[in-house]
């Protein structure tokens, strides 16, 4: 029955028994119609929690070794082929998740990745976060969004999406594990790395690129693109300090926070198109409140240790507008994610343990190009970017500056009132 590969079995167990090896073996044996003694080994493939009913259930996908052991688990490591002399050069602007994965892919394709990143390496970058929190000063090239690893480095590190357009998700998880992320991200239904672990993963990815012969330049803010003699091809980039980099291909992986890049592209005569996006607020709850609601607990009962900090997700339509919760961070923190001093933007993150007493989530509404019509005359195709900037500077004024975010109670927000206390 085993065939040396193991047999995949889906079982459902009550929370209290889900971690118990004997209960797992019994459930698998029953499903296969065999005696539990024939199961030599079990390996977790996927785990998800169903808390819709009071009796919380764990859905487990297990690989069973029947009458024999399972094949040993392959250690995940990635060896990228070394760059050959004369290999085509791909200039990658930005070393966030998109830039990092583009560089790895270039190595696989036999190209030499040369990365230009406006911010600092991840260790130096850390020191620029404290002044944001303590003095309310944002360094414009080194902050929660800019620097090695991009916005992803100090992001929450949630690795799942509601998007139905999916790429090779498993391969991405494996690359993270090969670079030091916990192996559980391969089995969790809602995998998460955590802001405390992400910097070392980012460093390991940097090492892979450098040791294969790629280049990474920090403090290298691209300000112009180089054109071929006939002006039709982009053949490189020029940094703010005058350094020039020529390449066979240029890839902009500059993320959504670099508004100066949109302006640069416009000035360079590239075709841009406005797209819909979403704006909103971030809502914070005591984690115990979310746990009580999602896990059907009495308010005075603590969450059982088998259960992670509870999450939620809300999607609805109000007056033909999509409204949804976004980037829900159980046991997390709200952080100041601005890239300029005259604005306030907040985002959410959490540590691997997710043990903060608060949960937070974005709550956003979709914005269509026609909503930003009043910005169009002055800003043209960048009307949406200007609208976003206007909201963020208004938010800064309302908070009184120094990166203090304006806050109010949800019920007051919904009723259009200022909260007299929090
Ligand atoms: C606090 C926080 C929490 C988040 N939590 C999650 C989460 O849990 N899960 C999730 O999926 N997403 C999360 N996100 C969003 C996620 O981080 C972004 O979607 C992701 O980082 C986008 O990747 P990117 O590479 O496209 O851009 P970015 O990460 O923005 O990277 C762009 C890089 O380009 C560099 N750059 C910009 N302009 C230039 C220039 N002119 N020259 C050179 N370099 C330049 C920047 O410095 C930056 O390093 C979070 C974001 C934040 C801020």
């Amino acid at each position: 029955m085993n065939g040396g590969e193991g047999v995949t079995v889906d079982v459902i167990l009550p929370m209290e028994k889900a971690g118990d090896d004997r209960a797992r073996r019994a459930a698998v044996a029953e499903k296969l119609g065999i005696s539990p003694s024939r199961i030599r080994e079990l390996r977790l493939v996927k785990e998800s929690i169903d808390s819709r009913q009071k009796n919380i259930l764990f859905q487990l996908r297990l690989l069973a070794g029947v009458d024999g052991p399972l094949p040993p688990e392959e250690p995940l490591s990635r060896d990228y082929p070394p760059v050959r002399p004369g290999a085509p050069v791909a200039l990658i602007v930005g070393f966030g998740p998109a830039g990092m994965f583009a560089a790895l892919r270039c190595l696989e394709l036999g190209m030499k990745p040369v990365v230009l990143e406006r911010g600092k390496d991840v260790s130096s970058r850390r020191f620029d976060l404290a002044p944001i929190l303590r003095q309310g000063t944002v360094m414009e090239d080194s902050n929660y969004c800019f620097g090695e690893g991009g916005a992803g480095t100090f992001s929450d590190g949630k690795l799942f999406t509601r998007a139905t357009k999916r790429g090779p998700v498993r391969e991405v998880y494996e690359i993270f594990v090969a670079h030091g992320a916990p192996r559980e991200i391969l089995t969790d239904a809602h995998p998460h790395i955590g802001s405390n672990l992400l910097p070392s993963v980012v460093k390991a990815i940097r090492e892979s690129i450098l040791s294969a012969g790629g280049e990474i330049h920090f403090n290298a803010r691209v300000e112009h693109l180089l054109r071929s003699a006939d002006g039709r091809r982009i053949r490189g980039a020029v940094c703010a300090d005058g350094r020039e980099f020529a390449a066979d291909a240029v890839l902009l992986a500059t993320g959504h926070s670099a508004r100066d890049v949109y302006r640069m592209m416009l000035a360079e005569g590239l075709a841009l198109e406005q797209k819909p996006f979403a704006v909103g607020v971030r809502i914070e709850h005591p984690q115990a409140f979310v746990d009580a609601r999602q896990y059907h607990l009495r308010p005075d009962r603590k969450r059982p240790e088998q259960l992670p900090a509870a999450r939620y997700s809300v999607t609805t339509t109000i007056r033909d507008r999509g409204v949804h919760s976004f980037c829900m961070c159980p046991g997390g923190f709200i952080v100041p994610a601005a890239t300029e001093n005259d604005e306030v933007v907040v985002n959410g993150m959490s540590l691997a343990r997710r043990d903060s007493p608060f949960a937070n989530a974005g709550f956003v509404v979709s914005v269509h190009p026609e909503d930003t019509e009043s910005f169009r005359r002055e800003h043209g195709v960048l009307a949406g970017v200007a609208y976003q900037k206007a909201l963020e500077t208004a938010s800064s004024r309302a908070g009184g500056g120094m990166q203090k975010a304006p806050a109010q109670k949800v019920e007051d927000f919904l009723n259009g009132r200022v909260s007299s206390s929090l």
Side-chain angles (χ1 to χ4, degrees):
M1 182 180 268
N2 194 358
E5 295 293 306
V7 191
T8 304
V9 187
D10 290 327
V11 297
I12 297 177
L13 287 173
M15 173 179 74
E16 299 72 23
K17 292 194 171 166
D20 176 15
D21 188 56
R22 277 180 47 186
R24 287 181 177 196
R25 280 168 192 267
V28 169
E30 190 183 335
K31 202 86 190 256
L32 294 176
I34 58 174
S35 155
S37 61
R38 289 182 59 195
I39 298 174
R40 287 274 296 278
E41 203 181 343
L42 278 183
R43 188 175 298 154
L44 184 63
V45 178
K46 207 86 205 158
E47 174 178 282
S48 63
I49 298 172
D50 180 355
S51 64
R52 285 171 299 176
Q53 309 292 331
K54 217 166 173 191
N55 286 338
I56 295 177
L57 300 173
F58 275 55
Q59 296 170 331
L60 308 174
R61 172 160 294 172
L62 297 157
L63 188 65
V66 180
D67 299 328
L70 289 171
E73 248 178 321
E74 290 288 314
L76 286 173
S77 66
R78 292 258 156 178
D79 287 324
Y80 293 89
V83 174
R84 290 170 182 238
V89 172
L91 195 63
I92 298 167
V93 185
F95 199 49
M100 289 190 292
F101 276 80
L104 296 175
R105 187 76 187 121
C106 283
L107 289 171
E108 287 172 345
L109 294 172
M111 299 179 84
K112 173 177 175 165
V114 175
V115 179
L116 303 180
E117 167 54 52
R118 73 194 295 162
K120 301 179 183 173
D121 67 88
V122 71
S123 309
S124 316
R125 182 182 172 193
R126 260 179 185 281
F127 294 103
D128 297 331
L129 301 183
I132 306 178
L133 299 168
R134 293 210 192 104
Q135 288 111 38
T137 353
V138 177
M139 293 207 25
E140 298 198 346
D141 282 326
S142 181
N143 45 56
Y144 273 98
C145 290
F146 294 162
E148 187 180 18
T153 304
F154 301 106
S155 75
D156 199 34
K158 281 183 290 300
L159 300 176
F160 50 92
T161 170
R162 269 194 290 234
T164 45
K165 206 170 81 182
R166 304 179 77 84
V169 175
R170 170 85 189 186
E171 194 187 332
V172 171
Y173 294 163
E174 288 180 357
I175 292 174
F176 277 126
V177 172
H179 290 93
R183 232 189 142 87
E184 290 80 66
I185 66 169
L186 301 175
T187 50
D188 281 356
H190 294 105
H192 167 245
I193 298 184
S195 298
N196 50 328
L197 303 185
L198 281 162
S200 57
V201 175
V202 167
K203 273 191 216 169
I205 293 179
R206 182 215 300 161
E207 277 314 309
S208 280
I209 295 166
L210 294 179
S211 57
E215 290 177 26
I216 302 172
H217 301 266
F218 295 113
N219 301 306
R221 174 161 36 89
V222 167
E223 278 198 342
H224 296 291
L225 300 174
L226 291 170
R227 299 288 187 125
S228 56
D230 62 5
R232 293 172 60 174
R233 203 173 62 77
I234 292 167
R235 60 166 194 86
V238 187
C239 293
D241 59 8
R243 277 179 292 170
E244 283 192 11
F245 293 84
D248 297 285
V250 178
L251 196 144
L252 288 179
T254 45
H256 87 312
S257 309
R259 294 192 187 109
D260 51 356
V261 173
Y262 301 129
R263 289 193 290 271
M264 173 187 81
M265 290 195 281
L266 203 59
E268 302 270 357
L270 300 182
L272 298 185
E273 196 178 309
Q274 190 175 346
K275 71 179 194 46
F277 60 105
V279 298
V281 295
R282 203 157 263 275
I283 298 189
E284 192 172 54
H285 293 101
Q287 182 60 49
F289 171 85
V290 184
D291 290 342
R293 291 294 167 115
Q294 298 296 73
Y295 294 145
H296 319 280
L297 303 172
R298 284 203 322 257
D300 57 339
R301 261 205 69 194
K302 274 185 76 174
R303 179 177 81 230
E305 60 181 17
Q306 298 94 323
L307 296 174
R311 47 189 293 281
Y312 63 79
S313 155
V314 180
T315 310
T316 186
T317 304
I318 299 175
R319 281 184 251 126
D320 291 333
R321 286 285 161 145
V323 175
H324 60 275
S325 60
F326 165 76
C327 182
M328 201 264 154
C329 300
F333 307 89
I334 294 181
V335 293
T339 53
E340 292 172 66
N341 276 294
D342 62 348
E343 65 192 32
V344 160
V345 191
V346 290
N347 213 312
M349 65 176 223
S350 66
L351 305 179
R353 290 196 309 273
R354 285 194 155 155
D355 55 357
S356 139
F358 292 100
N360 69 75
F363 240 92
V364 295
V365 59
S366 51
V367 175
H368 306 305
E370 55 272 24
D371 299 324
T372 58
E373 205 50 51
S374 58
F375 290 83
R376 189 168 291 275
R377 188 178 305 173
E378 192 181 342
H379 300 278
V381 72
L382 299 186
V385 177
Y387 166 70
Q388 186 198 28
K389 176 75 187 175
L391 279 182
E392 293 173 2
T393 42
S395 173
S396 172
R397 281 196 302 278
M402 304 278 289
Q403 288 303 313
K404 290 200 187 98
Q408 66 191 130
K409 290 180 176 166
V410 173
E411 59 183 295
D412 289 335
F413 176 72
L414 295 176
N415 288 309
R417 299 191 292 251
V418 172
S419 297
S420 53
S421 79
L422 291 176

